[in-house]
């Protein structure tokens, strides 16, 4: 489905599950759109949607729809895969002191804290979207043994580096702020000290894995 | 190199802005940029600067700058009763400054944001192709914070001997206690009830205190329908989002790039200038428009000022 929410924007919604396959199709559509519609100002892929923005001077919604319609059709039926890139490895200390919901996540899924850590760090995730806060990535899919709803009411402050999960997604809060996900561990602050890296580390379609570290390793990194 | 000028007082909030980040939204960076684009563009036009030359965005006023070099500046936007060495400097016009002189901006009695443009534009560090400070993004220092007292200022141009210039009266934005915002329905609009459609379009909204460069918050009614569970969707400038409490907000230039609450559509980007000057208590009414009409307005502005929106 293609909509026009503004004067020079088109929002394409793909009727696919917002998981790894979904973002792969969205990224395929994004590449095709950039080729077919030269002069686009911005593209933002997220989950199963693609926003494209053009210049006001040559934005023609009918043309955009005529071009994007067949491209959308094609990307829904083609075999897609994510472009191979390096897997970003993120150190995490899974500890109830640093992840205040760790024990609760374990309890509702009838697991031990250690099993939560093993399952969470045993998957290579795909970046399904970036945003919310700069440097935040929505990662999926979480092992369904770890699926938990978000907290009934968000915390007013989540510490920077907190590793959260909700539904089939996980992610790392790059800076302190409000947040509603269940927190199961913490990434050392040094991982976020360089602003440039912190802001641009994740890209839609990128690969991410979590590497468990012990409390003393976390403390050493945290200084 | 000695500074061309020193910021003696920034007032409540003073930042460097240009037209914003052309790149970076894919990575989650806010567009950033001057909130009242028209006032900003006039400042640069008066100085014959590039349309996107960095300038100061001064919220409410209270600014004081000591100049060490001769130059020409431009003052636009909210009228803060600027003075140079105690003499009224006017607004929507260029002002020639001599070395040793001090520019003072009082506190604006109407409007919110004044712009001070500098000959050639401020020299300022850039990130992702823009000098715009976006405090909420945690950009690399010093783009992550408001300007502070003692900040040295440098600009690119010399002291030109051009005659004084001012914005024709009919183009100056007057203060407004009530504004109309052209609105394009979209996003999850169809998933709200007709009652909420009517409520949104007919309510006389009031700008809330908690408004900032991220969003203008509106009070006056609560919208109750709309989808409850949503994946975050890419946003555009002026997106109207309805968070959990049902009071809509309009996203401004320091907005997030994706948003997970239900959205009704967007405000005509040209009309966001009005919202940029709307103080808490300003009355807001939405009026329906369509993308083509909004595009025509945007295009006229781009042609007049010679730029392309990011």
């Amino acid at each position: 489905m293609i909509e026009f929410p503004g004067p020079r924007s088109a929002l394409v919604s793909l009727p696919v599950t917002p998981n790894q396959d979904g973002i792969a199709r969205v990224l395929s559509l994004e590449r095709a759109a950039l080729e077919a519609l030269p002069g686009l100002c911005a593209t933002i892929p997220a989950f199963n949607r693609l926003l494209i923005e053009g210049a006001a001077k040559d934005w023609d919604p009918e043309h955009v729809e005529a071009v994007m319609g067949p491209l959308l059709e094609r990307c829904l039926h083609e075999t897609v895969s994510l472009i191979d890139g390096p897997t970003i490895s993120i150190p995490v200390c899974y500890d109830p002191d640093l992840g205040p919901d760790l024990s609760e996540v374990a309890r509702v899924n009838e697991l031990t804290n250690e099993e939560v850590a093993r399952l969470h760090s045993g998957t290579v995730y795909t970046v399904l979207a970036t945003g919310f806060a700069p440097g935040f990535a929505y990662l999926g899919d979480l092992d369904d043994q770890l699926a938990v709803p978000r907290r009934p009411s968000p915390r007013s402050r989540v510490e920077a580096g907190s590793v959260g999960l909700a539904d089939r997604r996980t992610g790392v809060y790059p800076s302190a702020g409000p947040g509603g996900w269940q927190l199961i561990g913490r990434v050392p602050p040094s991982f976020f000290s360089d602003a440039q890296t912190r802001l641009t580390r994740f890209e839609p379609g990128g690969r991410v894995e979590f590497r468990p570290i012990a409390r003393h390793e976390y403390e050493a990194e945290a200084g | 190199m000695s500074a061309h000028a020193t910021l003696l007082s920034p007032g409540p909030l003073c930042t460097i802005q240009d037209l914003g980040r052309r790149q970076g939204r894919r990575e989650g960076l806010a567009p950033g940029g001057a909130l009242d684009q028209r006032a900003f563009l006039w400042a640069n036009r008066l100085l014959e600067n590039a349309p996107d030359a960095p300038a100061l965005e001064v919220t409410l006023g209270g600014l004081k700058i000591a100049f060490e070099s001769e130059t020409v500046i431009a003052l636009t936007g909210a009228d803060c009763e600027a003075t140079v060495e105690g003499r009224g400097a006017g607004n929507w016009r260029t002002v020639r400054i001599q070395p040793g002189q001090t520019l003072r901006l009082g506190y604006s009695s109407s409007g919110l944001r004044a712009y001070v443009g500098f000959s050639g534009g401020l020299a300022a560090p850039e990130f992702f192709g823009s000098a715009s400070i976006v405090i909420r993004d945690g950009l690399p220092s010093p783009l992550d914070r408001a300007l502070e007292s003692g900040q040295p200022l440098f600009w690119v141009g010399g002291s030109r001997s051009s005659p004084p210039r001012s914005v024709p009266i009919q183009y100056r934005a007057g203060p407004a206690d009530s504004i109309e915002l052209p609105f394009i329905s979209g996003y999850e609009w169809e998933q709200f009830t007709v009652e909420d459609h009517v409520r949104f379009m007919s309510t006389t909204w009031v700008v809330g205190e908690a408004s900032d460069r991220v969003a203008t918050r509106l009070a006056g009614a609560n919208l109750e329908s709309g989808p409850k569970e949503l994946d975050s969707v890419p946003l555009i400038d002026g997106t109207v989002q309805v968070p959990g409490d049902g009071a809509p907000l309009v996203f401004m230039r320091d907005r997030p790039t994706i948003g997970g609450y239900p959205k009704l559509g967007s405000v005509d980007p040209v009309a966001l200038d009005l919202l940029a000057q709307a103080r808490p208590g300003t009355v807001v009414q939405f009026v329906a428009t369509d993308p083509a009409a909004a595009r025509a307005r945007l295009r006229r502005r781009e042609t007049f000022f010679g730029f392309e929106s990011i």
Side-chain angles (χ1 to χ4, degrees):
Chain A
M1 187 171 60
I2 304 171
E3 297 161 276
F4 299 92
R8 55 188 185 96
S9 308
L11 181 66
V12 188
S13 300
L14 282 63
V16 296
T17 309
N19 58 14
Q20 179 187 315
D21 176 72
I23 191 66
R25 291 186 191 282
V26 168
L27 293 169
S28 168
L29 181 63
E30 181 188 38
R31 286 190 295 274
L34 287 167
E35 214 167 276
L37 295 168
L40 288 183
C41 299
T43 54
I44 303 181
F47 302 112
N48 51 5
R49 289 196 173 83
L50 177 68
L51 178 78
I52 62 178
E53 289 203 289
K57 69 172 162 55
D58 47 35
W59 181 260
D60 174 359
E62 283 176 19
H63 177 65
V64 171
E65 190 149 26
V67 169
M68 292 303 290
L71 295 180
L72 172 59
E73 220 27 58
R74 195 183 78 191
C75 90
L76 292 177
H77 297 106
E78 69 188 346
T79 306
V80 291
S81 56
L82 292 162
I83 289 172
D84 272 339
T87 300
I88 298 168
S89 177
I90 303 178
V92 187
C93 181
Y94 298 95
D95 184 302
D97 293 344
L98 300 169
D101 301 318
L102 175 60
S103 302
E104 179 64 11
V105 170
R107 193 188 62 77
V108 298
N109 289 297
E110 298 176 345
L111 300 167
T112 63
N113 290 0
E114 292 69 29
E115 284 168 328
V116 171
R118 187 174 51 75
L119 286 167
H120 186 261
S121 59
T123 302
V124 176
Y125 300 97
T126 301
V127 178
L128 304 178
T130 57
F132 162 63
F136 185 87
Y138 294 82
L139 306 170
D141 274 354
L142 196 65
D143 189 300
D144 59 12
Q145 294 178 75
L146 290 177
V148 283
R150 62 189 61 205
R151 289 170 57 83
S153 61
R155 285 187 172 89
S156 57
R157 186 182 164 90
V158 169
E159 295 303 323
S162 294
V163 177
L165 42 90
D167 307 320
R168 300 295 300 276
R169 313 258 165 79
T170 183
V172 185
Y173 289 89
S175 51
W181 286 17
Q182 311 268 2
L183 309 179
I184 61 162
R186 190 96 52 93
V187 177
S190 56
F191 206 71
F192 303 97
S193 53
D194 179 64
Q196 171 104 29
T197 312
R198 170 166 47 78
L199 293 169
T200 60
R201 178 179 285 128
F202 302 113
E203 217 190 323
R207 306 281 195 180
V208 178
E209 64 183 359
F210 293 97
R211 172 167 52 86
I213 58 170
R215 182 68 184 260
H216 70 268
E217 293 175 274
Y218 175 88
E219 301 295 348
E221 287 268 346
Chain B
M1 183 179 174
S2 64
H4 292 159
T6 304
L7 184 65
L8 297 181
S9 166
L13 175 65
C14 176
T15 57
I16 294 175
Q17 299 295 336
D18 50 26
L19 287 174
R21 303 206 144 70
R22 215 165 265 283
Q23 306 111 44
R25 267 178 291 166
R26 202 174 182 277
E27 288 79 10
L29 298 182
L35 235 51
D36 182 347
Q37 290 206 0
R38 200 174 68 98
F40 170 88
L41 286 160
W42 268 117
N44 279 329
R45 187 181 179 95
L46 287 173
L47 294 164
E48 296 178 336
N49 287 347
D52 60 349
L56 294 182
E57 182 178 280
V58 186
T59 309
L60 287 170
L63 181 87
K64 193 154 91 173
I65 298 174
F67 286 83
E68 280 122 60
S69 306
E70 183 180 357
T71 190
V72 179
I73 62 167
L75 301 169
T76 61
D79 191 341
C80 298
E81 297 185 0
T83 59
V84 175
E85 294 302 299
R87 284 217 312 275
N91 195 24
W92 298 103
R93 54 170 296 178
T94 59
V95 182
R96 176 161 291 277
I97 305 278
Q98 301 300 329
Q101 291 188 327
T102 301
L103 168 76
R104 283 184 173 81
L105 266 58
Y107 287 92
S108 66
S109 51
S110 64
L112 269 182
R113 294 179 170 92
Y115 293 87
V116 184
F118 296 81
S119 179
L122 283 173
E126 291 188 354
F127 185 65
F128 272 73
S130 165
S132 288
I133 291 171
V134 179
I135 294 168
R136 82 173 278 275
D137 269 5
L139 299 176
S141 176
L143 296 178
D144 58 342
R145 69 197 69 171
L147 299 186
E148 293 168 7
S149 301
Q151 168 80 38
L153 300 174
F154 300 91
W155 48 89
V156 181
S159 70
R160 290 173 297 105
S161 57
S162 57
R165 302 179 65 184
S166 60
V167 177
I169 302 272
Q170 67 269 30
Y171 294 130
R172 301 181 190 186
D177 297 329
S178 78
I179 55 177
E180 281 193 349
L181 296 180
F183 168 79
I184 299 163
S185 62
Y187 284 113
E188 291 85 40
W189 173 264
E190 294 297 337
Q191 297 177 57
F192 284 79
T193 59
V194 173
E195 287 75 18
D196 268 348
H197 292 167
V198 171
R199 194 170 289 135
F200 177 71
M201 295 305 291
S202 65
T203 295
T204 305
W205 300 97
V206 177
V207 172
E209 293 281 346
S211 302
D212 55 16
R213 283 187 46 92
V214 177
T216 303
R217 289 161 198 281
L218 301 174
N222 290 313
L223 305 181
E224 284 151 13
S225 59
K228 294 295 166 234
E229 289 278 328
L230 277 182
D231 263 326
S232 290
V233 178
L235 303 176
I236 61 173
D237 286 338
T239 299
V240 180
Q241 183 168 273
V242 185
D245 63 4
L249 55 82
V250 183
F251 276 124
M252 308 296 276
R253 306 286 298 189
D254 287 4
R255 62 180 172 78
T257 54
I258 62 175
Y261 288 105
K263 293 160 286 297
L264 294 165
S266 69
V267 171
D268 176 346
V270 168
L272 291 176
D273 296 345
L274 302 173
L275 223 39
Q277 296 293 359
R279 290 176 170 238
T282 303
V283 169
V284 173
Q285 183 88 49
F286 291 98
V287 291
T289 190
D290 61 69
R295 185 164 57 252
R297 284 189 284 269
L298 184 57
R299 188 65 200 123
R300 270 203 300 280
R301 161 171 297 182
E302 291 182 351
T303 307
F304 182 79
F305 286 107
F307 76 106
E308 265 182 38
S309 301
I310 63 155

